[in-house]
Amino acid sequence: MSRLASTAVMARRHEPADSLDYFPTPPWGTRALCHHVLPAIWTADDRFACTAWDPACGEGHMALALGEYFRSVGASDIFPYGFGSVSDFLHPNTEGQADWIVTNPPFISGPDFIAKALRLATRGVAVLVRTAFLEGEDRLATLYSHRPPALIAQFAERLPMHRARWVVDGKSATAYCWLVWRRDQAPGTRFMWIPKSRKTLSRHDDWLRFGGCVDLKKSHPAWRAENENVTRADIVERQSWRLAA
């Protein structure tokens, strides 16, 4: 019985040097970008009549949500997760073009993703990062000092992300924000707070469409099944009997 342990992702997440750093984005986190953030920086009514590309798509959690807004969405990843094409975005021979490049990049290679995305995107770049990504002398020297974002959009509530899965009822101690660049941006960086969006931008069928799972309470029958080797059918039967009673 996998995916049962309750795990709050802490603000300091330690990943091996060769880790793919795969933490799927909850769909409402991507919708918050499209609903609150992009309209603040791209005011044209036809802002979504264009293309987007997620070059670190994983299993498609972000790309599918982007597809609800953009005219067309491309998706790729260095690992064959079963969604999108397989391509190393940072490889020198990897080329492509989209109006917007929108992604949740691996933390350690985030600056490289941003630099290449800024070269390939024709309108702008949006990356979802831990708020701690704003810190660091190296990032200041290699990125922010000469290409600061046009907008920093900080989530007012936690955006829970877990390794290799989307936990519908997840919790987190990690803060996240969207960083947005425009190709034609004016000097200076704006800041905004993203209002609470988990309830308002979640949909009733997200768990099925995006393959969500839940962190079960220790009292849930599935935990007993872990120890007693009880089948899923047994659990369903027990729950049905209790409801009938």
Side-chain angles (χ1 to χ4, degrees), residues 42-193:
W42 196 281
T43 58
D45 293 336
D46 63 345
R47 70 178 66 91
F48 295 117
C50 58
T51 61
W53 175 18
D54 179 0
C57 68
E59 295 174 295
H61 293 78
M62 182 175 289
L64 286 171
L66 291 172
E68 300 169 3
Y69 297 85
F70 285 88
R71 184 181 67 206
S72 65
V73 176
S76 61
D77 201 290
I78 191 173
F79 187 80
Y81 287 103
F83 186 94
S85 62
V86 178
S87 176
D88 180 359
F89 183 65
L90 297 181
H91 192 279
N93 293 335
T94 299
E95 294 292 333
Q97 193 175 78
D99 295 309
W100 283 90
I101 293 181
V102 183
T103 194
N104 171 7
F107 186 88
I108 194 169
S109 54
D112 296 326
F113 264 76
I114 293 168
K116 185 159 188 178
L118 287 171
R119 179 169 65 83
L120 298 180
T122 60
R123 288 195 182 184
V125 173
V127 294
L128 177 63
V129 295
R130 282 178 272 166
T131 304
F133 190 83
L134 296 172
E135 303 173 337
E137 295 178 5
D138 289 342
R139 281 187 287 275
L140 175 61
T142 61
L143 177 62
Y144 300 135
S145 62
H146 61 94
R147 287 302 297 271
L151 177 63
I152 301 171
Q154 174 66 50
F155 281 93
E157 62 186 319
R158 293 298 193 219
L159 177 70
M161 289 198 274
H162 300 72
R163 183 191 302 277
R165 70 207 194 279
W166 169 44
V167 181
V168 179
D169 62 340
K171 298 177 176 61
S172 177
T174 306
Y176 286 89
C177 64
W178 281 102
L179 305 183
V180 185
W181 286 260
R182 282 187 54 163
R183 289 295 297 267
D184 60 348
Q185 70 187 50
T189 299
R190 295 169 52 198
F191 181 90
M192 66 173 287
W193 283 273

